[in-house]
Amino acid sequence: MNEIIRNPQADVSNGSLDPQDWSEFRALAHRMLDDAIDGIAGVRARPVWRPIPDEVRAAIRTDVPHEATDLAEVYREFSEHVSPYATGNVHPRFMGWVHGGGTAVGMIAEMLAAGLNANLGGRDHMPIEVERQIVEWMRGLFGFPKEASGIFVTGTSMANLMAVLVARTSALGALARQHGLGNDGALLTAYASKAAHGCISRAMDIAGFGTDALRKIDVDADHRIDVAALRARIIVDRESGFRPFLVTASAGTVDIGAIDDLRAVAELCREEGIWFHVDGAFGALAIFSPELAPLLDGIALADSIALDFHKWGQVPYDAGFLLVRDGERHRQAFVQPAAYLSREARGLAAGSVWPCDLGPDLSRGFRALKTWFTLKTFGIDRLGTVIARSCALARYLETRVLAEPRLELLAPVNLNIVCFRYRAGDAVNREIVADIQESGIAAPSGTTLDGRFAIRAAIVNHRTAETDIDALVSAVLEFGAKRSDGLIEVEAPPLARQ
C-alpha cells in the first residue's frame, strides 16, 4: 500500500485518479515535455526509422496490469521501447508517404485539448465554437456558401465515406436510412479514376453498394481522369438502366499527386445532375498557396471536399475534415433523434446543430484545437509558403534524377511527389527502398506505375531541405550500385551521416 501511496499518479484516499503529490507529478510532467521538445528540436540527430528489435517487441508484451506502476517507470518504458521506434515522419527525410511532420505548436495544443477533455459530439461549449470557426474559414477559402457545413473526422478515408453517404441520401431520400438501399439503391453507380485512392472503393463497400458499383475510369497522359471517357461511361450506364449519382475527383492522387480537371468534372456533374465530390486529402490545401491555388480551379463548384490538415497543414495526427456545400443535405444524412440528445433553448443542451448531427460519431475529441492553434500561430500565408516549398523541393529532386544517368523518372512531377527508379530491375529497386529505410538515412516508399516498380518520394515535411534531397539521391545511388554489383550487405550508417 505504501508503494501505491507514493505513486504520484493516484490519490487512493478518495478514489480519485488525480496525483496525490501534484508537485512530484508536475516535475515529471515538465521533464516529459522537455524531452518531447528536445526530440523535435534534435530530430536530425536520429535515424529516420529503425527496425524494431525482437527484444523490444517482447518487452511490451506483458500480462494485463492489475497493479499500479509508478508513472516514472511507465515513462521509462515509453522512452526506451516506444519513442525510438516510431514511424519517423517528424524527421525531414521521411518521404515515403504523405505524412505531415507536425509542429511543436500542434503538440502543445494537443496537450491542452487533453487537459480540457472535451467531447465535441454536441452541447453548448467553446470547443465546438472553435470547430465552427474553422468550418467558416474553410468555407471562405474554398468559395462555399454560408449554408455549407463542415466537420472534423479521423482522416480523409472517413471523410470520403461520409461524402458517399451524403450523396446516397441525396439521391435516394432520407427514407433510405430506414428502409435500406432497396431496388433503387442497387442501380446507383459512382465514378472515380483508376488513380483514385483505394478508400473510395472501400467507402462504396461500407455504404452497401459493393465495389463493383464504382466505375474506375482511365486516366490521361498526365494521370488525370479522362473526362471524355467518364462522360461516355455515364451515358452507357444510363442507357443500361443504372443511376449515376456520384463522381469523385482527385486533388492530388496517391501515387504521383495529379490533380484532375476539376472544372471539367464539375461541369459534367452539373449537366448530369450528379454529386461532385473532391478527394483532396493533401492537395486541397494547395488553396493556401497563391502559387498553387490555380491548380484547383473548379474546386469551388464541388458538392463536398475531403481533406487532411495532418498532411500539408502540418497538424499532428489526426485531423481529417469534410466540407459539404449543402449543410441541410449533410445533416439529413446523419441526424438521429434521441431523447438523451434533446436540444434545449438554453443551458448546456443548447447550441444546435450539434456535430453529431453531421457524422457517425457522438464521442469526438477536440481535433479542432490543434488545427486552430496551427492556423492562428503560423497563418495561412506562411503555411502556403511551406506547401509551395515542398513542391519546389520535388522539382529539385526531379532535376537531380534527370541529371543522373543511373536514375530514371517514371512520372510527371505535379506537386510534391517524385516517382523514379535506379536503372535496374524491379527486384533491385525494391531492395533499394528497404535498404535505405533500414539504414536510417531516409524513408522513401515504393509504388507501381505502368507495371514498373518506382521509388516514391513524397515531400511533405516542413523541415525538409535540399540537403535532405541530396542525401536521398546519394543513398539510392549507393545502395543501387551495391545491389547491382551483388554487394548486398547493408550497414546502418553512423549518425554523422544524418
PDB file of all heavy atoms in Angstrom, residues 449-464:
ATOM      1  N   LEU A 449       3.947   1.857 -61.235  1.00  0.00           N
ATOM      2  CA  LEU A 449       3.394   2.710 -62.283  1.00  0.00           C
ATOM      3  C   LEU A 449       3.591   2.023 -63.629  1.00  0.00           C
ATOM      4  O   LEU A 449       4.722   1.692 -63.999  1.00  0.00           O
ATOM      5  CB  LEU A 449       4.089   4.073 -62.289  1.00  0.00           C
ATOM      6  CG  LEU A 449       3.911   4.958 -61.044  1.00  0.00           C
ATOM      7  CD1 LEU A 449       4.788   6.200 -61.157  1.00  0.00           C
ATOM      8  CD2 LEU A 449       2.459   5.339 -60.858  1.00  0.00           C
ATOM      9  N   ASP A 450       2.484   1.796 -64.316  1.00  0.00           N
ATOM     10  CA  ASP A 450       2.540   1.141 -65.625  1.00  0.00           C
ATOM     11  C   ASP A 450       3.333  -0.152 -65.568  1.00  0.00           C
ATOM     12  O   ASP A 450       4.130  -0.477 -66.456  1.00  0.00           O
ATOM     13  CB  ASP A 450       3.152   2.088 -66.670  1.00  0.00           C
ATOM     14  CG  ASP A 450       2.349   3.372 -66.839  1.00  0.00           C
ATOM     15  OD1 ASP A 450       1.112   3.287 -66.767  1.00  0.00           O
ATOM     16  OD2 ASP A 450       2.963   4.432 -67.022  1.00  0.00           O
ATOM     17  N   GLY A 451       3.134  -0.901 -64.493  1.00  0.00           N
ATOM     18  CA  GLY A 451       3.752  -2.196 -64.352  1.00  0.00           C
ATOM     19  C   GLY A 451       5.195  -2.187 -63.895  1.00  0.00           C
ATOM     20  O   GLY A 451       5.832  -3.244 -63.824  1.00  0.00           O
ATOM     21  N   ARG A 452       5.731  -1.036 -63.559  1.00  0.00           N
ATOM     22  CA  ARG A 452       7.124  -0.929 -63.147  1.00  0.00           C
ATOM     23  C   ARG A 452       7.203  -0.390 -61.720  1.00  0.00           C
ATOM     24  O   ARG A 452       6.506   0.563 -61.365  1.00  0.00           O
ATOM     25  CB  ARG A 452       7.905  -0.018 -64.096  1.00  0.00           C
ATOM     26  CG  ARG A 452       7.795  -0.415 -65.557  1.00  0.00           C
ATOM     27  CD  ARG A 452       8.447   0.627 -66.446  1.00  0.00           C
ATOM     28  NE  ARG A 452       9.899   0.602 -66.331  1.00  0.00           N
ATOM     29  CZ  ARG A 452      10.690   1.587 -66.764  1.00  0.00           C
ATOM     30  NH1 ARG A 452      10.169   2.679 -67.302  1.00  0.00           N
ATOM     31  NH2 ARG A 452      12.002   1.483 -66.652  1.00  0.00           N
ATOM     32  N   PHE A 453       8.073  -0.998 -60.932  1.00  0.00           N
ATOM     33  CA  PHE A 453       8.239  -0.550 -59.547  1.00  0.00           C
ATOM     34  C   PHE A 453       8.965   0.789 -59.522  1.00  0.00           C
ATOM     35  O   PHE A 453       9.971   0.984 -60.216  1.00  0.00           O
ATOM     36  CB  PHE A 453       9.032  -1.573 -58.742  1.00  0.00           C
ATOM     37  CG  PHE A 453       9.186  -1.204 -57.293  1.00  0.00           C
ATOM     38  CD1 PHE A 453       8.176  -1.483 -56.389  1.00  0.00           C
ATOM     39  CD2 PHE A 453      10.331  -0.566 -56.839  1.00  0.00           C
ATOM     40  CE1 PHE A 453       8.299  -1.143 -55.050  1.00  0.00           C
ATOM     41  CE2 PHE A 453      10.467  -0.216 -55.503  1.00  0.00           C
ATOM     42  CZ  PHE A 453       9.453  -0.503 -54.603  1.00  0.00           C
ATOM     43  N   ALA A 454       8.451   1.703 -58.725  1.00  0.00           N
ATOM     44  CA  ALA A 454       9.038   3.038 -58.616  1.00  0.00           C
ATOM     45  C   ALA A 454       9.420   3.342 -57.181  1.00  0.00           C
ATOM     46  O   ALA A 454       8.723   2.943 -56.236  1.00  0.00           O
ATOM     47  CB  ALA A 454       8.048   4.094 -59.107  1.00  0.00           C
ATOM     48  N   ILE A 455      10.531   4.034 -57.017  1.00  0.00           N
ATOM     49  CA  ILE A 455      10.875   4.633 -55.728  1.00  0.00           C
ATOM     50  C   ILE A 455      10.077   5.927 -55.629  1.00  0.00           C
ATOM     51  O   ILE A 455      10.150   6.774 -56.514  1.00  0.00           O
ATOM     52  CB  ILE A 455      12.385   4.915 -55.641  1.00  0.00           C
ATOM     53  CG1 ILE A 455      13.184   3.623 -55.797  1.00  0.00           C
ATOM     54  CG2 ILE A 455      12.717   5.603 -54.307  1.00  0.00           C
ATOM     55  CD1 ILE A 455      14.676   3.847 -55.948  1.00  0.00           C
ATOM     56  N   ARG A 456       9.322   6.062 -54.563  1.00  0.00           N
ATOM     57  CA  ARG A 456       8.399   7.194 -54.449  1.00  0.00           C
ATOM     58  C   ARG A 456       8.842   8.094 -53.302  1.00  0.00           C
ATOM     59  O   ARG A 456       8.975   7.642 -52.157  1.00  0.00           O
ATOM     60  CB  ARG A 456       6.976   6.692 -54.210  1.00  0.00           C
ATOM     61  CG  ARG A 456       5.922   7.761 -53.982  1.00  0.00           C
ATOM     62  CD  ARG A 456       4.564   7.078 -53.857  1.00  0.00           C
ATOM     63  NE  ARG A 456       3.493   8.004 -53.556  1.00  0.00           N
ATOM     64  CZ  ARG A 456       3.097   8.321 -52.331  1.00  0.00           C
ATOM     65  NH1 ARG A 456       3.710   7.809 -51.274  1.00  0.00           N
ATOM     66  NH2 ARG A 456       2.091   9.161 -52.142  1.00  0.00           N
ATOM     67  N   ALA A 457       9.071   9.350 -53.611  1.00  0.00           N
ATOM     68  CA  ALA A 457       9.439  10.340 -52.597  1.00  0.00           C
ATOM     69  C   ALA A 457       8.324  11.372 -52.506  1.00  0.00           C
ATOM     70  O   ALA A 457       8.084  12.120 -53.456  1.00  0.00           O
ATOM     71  CB  ALA A 457      10.756  11.020 -52.955  1.00  0.00           C
ATOM     72  N   ALA A 458       7.634  11.384 -51.377  1.00  0.00           N
ATOM     73  CA  ALA A 458       6.572  12.364 -51.131  1.00  0.00           C
ATOM     74  C   ALA A 458       7.116  13.385 -50.135  1.00  0.00           C
ATOM     75  O   ALA A 458       7.354  13.060 -48.969  1.00  0.00           O
ATOM     76  CB  ALA A 458       5.325  11.682 -50.573  1.00  0.00           C
ATOM     77  N   ILE A 459       7.304  14.600 -50.594  1.00  0.00           N
ATOM     78  CA  ILE A 459       7.952  15.629 -49.777  1.00  0.00           C
ATOM     79  C   ILE A 459       6.863  16.473 -49.121  1.00  0.00           C
ATOM     80  O   ILE A 459       6.232  17.308 -49.764  1.00  0.00           O
ATOM     81  CB  ILE A 459       8.889  16.487 -50.642  1.00  0.00           C
ATOM     82  CG1 ILE A 459       9.906  15.578 -51.334  1.00  0.00           C
ATOM     83  CG2 ILE A 459       9.604  17.536 -49.799  1.00  0.00           C
ATOM     84  CD1 ILE A 459      10.617  16.210 -52.489  1.00  0.00           C
ATOM     85  N   VAL A 460       6.659  16.230 -47.848  1.00  0.00           N
ATOM     86  CA  VAL A 460       5.568  16.868 -47.109  1.00  0.00           C
ATOM     87  C   VAL A 460       6.080  17.641 -45.902  1.00  0.00           C
ATOM     88  O   VAL A 460       5.527  18.672 -45.533  1.00  0.00           O
ATOM     89  CB  VAL A 460       4.536  15.803 -46.648  1.00  0.00           C
ATOM     90  CG1 VAL A 460       3.323  16.479 -46.014  1.00  0.00           C
ATOM     91  CG2 VAL A 460       4.100  14.922 -47.809  1.00  0.00           C
ATOM     92  N   ASN A 461       7.139  17.159 -45.289  1.00  0.00           N
ATOM     93  CA  ASN A 461       7.638  17.716 -44.037  1.00  0.00           C
ATOM     94  C   ASN A 461       8.194  19.130 -44.235  1.00  0.00           C
ATOM     95  O   ASN A 461       9.002  19.369 -45.135  1.00  0.00           O
ATOM     96  CB  ASN A 461       8.744  16.795 -43.496  1.00  0.00           C
ATOM     97  CG  ASN A 461       9.085  17.061 -42.051  1.00  0.00           C
ATOM     98  OD1 ASN A 461       9.335  18.190 -41.660  1.00  0.00           O
ATOM     99  ND2 ASN A 461       9.122  16.005 -41.258  1.00  0.00           N
ATOM    100  N   HIS A 462       7.761  20.047 -43.386  1.00  0.00           N
ATOM    101  CA  HIS A 462       8.214  21.441 -43.484  1.00  0.00           C
ATOM    102  C   HIS A 462       9.684  21.599 -43.128  1.00  0.00           C
ATOM    103  O   HIS A 462      10.282  22.657 -43.394  1.00  0.00           O
ATOM    104  CB  HIS A 462       7.359  22.328 -42.564  1.00  0.00           C
ATOM    105  CG  HIS A 462       7.385  21.932 -41.123  1.00  0.00           C
ATOM    106  ND1 HIS A 462       8.249  22.485 -40.214  1.00  0.00           N
ATOM    107  CD2 HIS A 462       6.650  21.024 -40.429  1.00  0.00           C
ATOM    108  CE1 HIS A 462       8.038  21.948 -39.017  1.00  0.00           C
ATOM    109  NE2 HIS A 462       7.071  21.051 -39.128  1.00  0.00           N
ATOM    110  N   ARG A 463      10.299  20.567 -42.541  1.00  0.00           N
ATOM    111  CA  ARG A 463      11.713  20.642 -42.165  1.00  0.00           C
ATOM    112  C   ARG A 463      12.653  20.223 -43.300  1.00  0.00           C
ATOM    113  O   ARG A 463      13.867  20.403 -43.199  1.00  0.00           O
ATOM    114  CB  ARG A 463      11.966  19.736 -40.952  1.00  0.00           C
ATOM    115  CG  ARG A 463      11.083  20.058 -39.746  1.00  0.00           C
ATOM    116  CD  ARG A 463      11.291  19.094 -38.593  1.00  0.00           C
ATOM    117  NE  ARG A 463      10.384  19.434 -37.502  1.00  0.00           N
ATOM    118  CZ  ARG A 463       9.196  18.870 -37.306  1.00  0.00           C
ATOM    119  NH1 ARG A 463       8.776  17.919 -38.127  1.00  0.00           N
ATOM    120  NH2 ARG A 463       8.423  19.259 -36.316  1.00  0.00           N
ATOM    121  N   THR A 464      12.122  19.625 -44.343  1.00  0.00           N
ATOM    122  CA  THR A 464      12.946  19.085 -45.423  1.00  0.00           C
ATOM    123  C   THR A 464      13.640  20.208 -46.190  1.00  0.00           C
ATOM    124  O   THR A 464      13.051  21.254 -46.461  1.00  0.00           O
ATOM    125  CB  THR A 464      12.086  18.251 -46.386  1.00  0.00           C
ATOM    126  OG1 THR A 464      11.393  17.244 -45.637  1.00  0.00           O
ATOM    127  CG2 THR A 464      12.929  17.583 -47.456  1.00  0.00           C
TER     128      THR A 464
END
